[in-house]
Amino acid sequence: MNDTVRVRIAPAPSGSIHVGNARSALYNWLFARQHGGVFVLRVEDTDQKRVTDEAYAAVLEDLRWLGLQWDEGPGAGGDFGPYRQSERLGHYESAARDLIARGHAYPCYCTQEELAERRKLAQAAKRPPGYDGHCRSLTDEECAAYEAEGRAPAIRFRVPDDATVAFDDVVRGTVPTRTEQIPDFVILRSDGSPTYMLAATVDDIAMDITHIIRGEDLLPATPRQLLMREAMGITEVPVFGHLPLLISPDGRPLSKRWGDVAVDAYRRQGFLPEAMVNYLVLLGWSYDDRTNVFSVDELIEKFSLQRVGKNPATFDVNKLEWLNGHYIRSKSAGDLAEELVPFCVAAGIPADTDEGRATLRAVAPLVVERLKRLSEAPPMVRFLFEEVTPDERAAKVLEDQRDYLVEVAQALERLEKWTSVAIEEALRALAAGRGLKPKQAFQPIRAAVTGTLVSPPLFESLELLGKKRTLARLSAASK
Ligand code: GLU
Ligand code: ZN
């Protein structure tokens, strides 16, 4: 094993990447950047039935969006390719043959039905439900007889009897497993395709992976993979770190009931990648008890596996929103406007022009404090782009306001300078004269001019909209 840190993520492309895998990717990427190492992307696409081109593209797109560019892998090249497992089938097949030749694996002719039947019996007799070793010591004649029946064997790994496999996990300390707990497992299916257990082991060896950092759900895979390494005659062992489970606020495994679990859902709702990265890193790692906001450069400097905890980490959308608000507010008006363009376009607002961008730049400082997600902006800024029809709540506020709105229009008509200060002065004077509280005075104006009650601050909104359009909308609402 060489001195260079080599880490990997190995997503199975079944669409947008799960937030748990995104966190693993981030931790691996940070670890590589920090150590001048290599971050490898290896795609687990041997299950051809499930992998579509779109799902494959979505994984790459999510990683790019998060800024987790891989040093080796699809599109990036590298000396250890190919990096799609579907292009490496020969390696797995020959590794399996090799294990058979050396007595570490054997053909298993049991059918699914036979296995299921015996599993039921074992359960009824309170014996462990795993594979019972039925084909462990078949003679050549017995094998030949099965073959003659037309059975195609799967290949199983022969787990050594009466042994302990232990490894030091950076997060969890020493993790020992007795081999009685590990039934002989399939490494090559009867159709010749490799299982995850075999393919991952072969590739981690072939790609010279030095550190395996992955979710705790894969903890049971590790002793199996270590046994296979040993059986393959590999003496060097990578460093393992198993990241804590992600749970929902109800303490159960992360589920869709509590919000989205796919990264692209967050992108579509207007979370910034810097907020997502900052949030993901906190799911299991902390620097101290106080600091929550970290730039990527700070993370590269400060992240360490030693500070990854064992306790499950709660995925809390409120905290993600809070961070997103922080990163939204730290953008310049120009940058924020640029981020908002696609969200406006998706909401049918023609903001994708020079004029539209200028409008968004002007309104950005007014909405920035109110945004937790970029997708919240279109309803707030729509009034600047098109004529308005009051929504339900606005319509309610507008009931019986005709006379008042006529007076408002007259007061604004008289203004010589169309500035938010002058507008505010005129409207406050009018309200005081009529004995109106601010809310009573200003909500109807907001409703008439913007069609909603969620617009940015009123006086600035009117200034931006311009005198002519403001008066026209007041007059339309007082008809
Ligand atoms: N495809 C596996 C997963 O995404 C990879 C497991 C591993 O990192 O070894 O869960
Ligand atoms: Zn069998």
Side-chain angles (χ1 to χ4, degrees):
M1 208 167 287
N2 61 32
D3 296 335
T4 311
V5 162
R6 293 180 55 84
V7 293
R8 88 306 191 265
I9 52 151
S14 50
S16 172
I17 216 165
H18 184 278
V19 289
N21 280 339
R23 179 196 55 177
S24 297
L26 172 62
Y27 283 23
N28 278 286
W29 182 85
L30 285 171
F31 190 73
R33 292 288 75 84
Q34 192 165 62
H35 291 90
V38 178
F39 175 56
V40 178
L41 170 60
R42 184 172 79 215
V43 183
E44 278 186 9
D45 60 349
T46 56
D47 193 352
Q48 293 291 355
K49 292 185 292 300
R50 278 177 46 212
V51 178
T52 63
D53 286 347
E54 293 79 52
Y56 172 69
V59 167
L60 305 197
E61 176 67 19
D62 285 343
L63 291 172
R64 287 200 190 98
W65 178 71
L66 289 167
L68 307 180
Q69 185 54 52
W70 50 100
D71 307 307
E72 288 179 20
D79 296 338
F80 298 79
Y83 294 91
R84 292 182 70 157
Q85 290 190 327
S86 59
E87 296 167 13
R88 305 176 59 79
L89 297 175
H91 293 267
Y92 314 131
E93 158 109 37
S94 69
R97 297 291 150 221
D98 229 49
L99 286 172
I100 296 175
R102 309 203 358 248
H104 294 296
Y106 59 88
C108 163
Y109 292 92
C110 303
T111 63
Q112 292 305 327
E113 296 71 33
E114 288 165 347
L115 292 171
E117 184 60 27
R118 298 208 307 271
R119 201 158 36 234
K120 255 195 261 155
L121 292 175
Q123 265 159 344
K126 304 245 178 313
R127 279 183 283 122
Y131 184 68
D132 55 6
H134 181 272
C135 305
R136 256 196 155 193
S137 33
L138 296 180
T139 61
D140 287 350
E141 292 72 41
E142 286 169 315
C143 290
Y146 279 130
E147 303 269 349
E149 279 179 37
R151 296 189 188 220
I155 307 300
R156 281 186 192 271
F157 184 74
R158 187 190 304 275
V159 175
D161 294 325
D162 195 21
T164 300
V165 213
F167 63 96
D168 289 319
D169 188 289
V170 200
V171 178
R172 319 182 63 83
T174 304
V175 182
T177 311
R178 287 290 299 164
T179 53
E180 296 88 85
Q181 311 293 322
I182 311 176
D184 290 354
F185 52 89
V186 173
I187 57 176
L188 217 54
R189 299 187 190 89
S190 58
D191 65 1
S193 66
T195 59
Y196 156 74
M197 216 54 82
L198 175 68
T201 308
V202 168
D203 287 346
D204 286 338
I205 296 168
M207 296 180 180
D208 218 352
I209 299 302
T210 59
H211 294 71
I212 296 184
I213 304 164
R214 58 186 176 192
E216 195 186 302
D217 52 322
L218 289 155
L219 198 52
T222 304
R224 289 164 169 79
Q225 294 176 346
L226 286 171
L227 287 170
M228 290 170 83
R229 260 179 195 267
E230 206 182 312
M232 290 171 185
I234 307 293
T235 47
E236 279 165 309
V237 170
V239 175
F240 285 92
H242 289 91
L243 310 175
L245 280 184
L246 298 188
I247 55 173
S248 292
D250 64 358
R252 304 165 74 121
L254 198 55
S255 88
K256 279 196 96 153
R257 218 156 47 79
W258 283 89
D260 290 288
V261 293
V263 165
D264 78 340
Y266 290 95
R267 173 173 36 170
R268 279 187 275 106
Q269 291 161 32
F271 287 89
L272 294 168
E274 44 277 52
M276 202 70 205
V277 160
N278 193 152
Y279 184 63
L280 289 173
V281 83
L282 298 174
L283 293 173
W285 172 83
S286 65
Y287 180 65
D288 55 33
D289 292 338
R290 287 155 308 170
T291 324
N292 281 304
V293 176
F294 296 94
S295 69
V296 168
D297 286 341
E298 284 170 325
L299 288 177
I300 292 174
E301 189 198 315
K302 298 197 157 92
F303 178 78
S304 75
L305 287 175
Q306 278 65 38
R307 294 198 58 92
V308 172
K310 274 192 257 195
N311 293 335
T314 306
F315 194 94
D316 173 6
V317 177
N318 294 322
K319 186 161 178 185
L320 173 57
E321 281 188 336
W322 175 81
L323 278 168
N324 204 40
H326 167 83
Y327 284 101
I328 288 175
R329 289 191 298 280
S330 62
K331 292 222 175 268
S332 69
D335 287 349
L336 181 54
E338 219 34 64
E339 296 281 355
L340 291 178
V341 168
F343 288 90
C344 288
V345 170
I349 299 172
D352 195 14
T353 61
D354 288 346
E355 208 191 324
R357 288 187 157 78
T359 302
L360 287 179
R361 259 197 308 281
V363 75
L366 306 185
V367 296
V368 68
E369 291 294 331
R370 301 177 177 210
L371 291 181
K372 288 192 292 223
R373 308 174 180 212
L374 298 176
S375 58
E376 292 164 342
M380 297 183 194
V381 305
R382 186 181 292 279
F383 75 98
L384 290 168
F385 289 87
E386 55 193 48
E387 292 310 316
V388 300
T389 338
D391 64 24
E392 208 177 314
R393 286 173 62 215
K396 202 144 187 75
V397 166
L398 284 172
E399 278 166 20
D400 301 324
Q401 296 291 337
R402 203 163 296 162
D403 296 347
Y404 173 58
L405 291 177
V406 170
E407 278 184 59
V408 169
Q410 284 165 354
L412 293 178
E413 172 93 71
R414 281 195 293 274
L415 289 181
E416 274 166 23
K417 277 200 302 200
W418 190 254
T419 63
S420 60
V421 176
I423 293 167
E424 175 167 7
E425 220 177 315
L427 294 181
R428 284 198 191 279
L430 179 65
R434 282 182 140 241
L436 295 174
K437 295 209 183 74
K439 194 169 166 197
Q440 291 172 304
F442 303 143
Q443 284 291 60
I445 306 176
R446 183 187 296 282
V449 174
T450 72
T452 79
L453 305 180
V454 298
S455 65
L458 182 63
F459 314 119
E460 285 84 354
S461 293
L462 300 193
E463 178 184 329
L464 268 185
L465 187 63
K467 186 169 185 176
K468 217 171 109 203
R469 285 201 285 174
T470 300
L471 294 177
R473 290 185 192 180
L474 286 169
S475 134
S478 51
K479 287 249 163 56

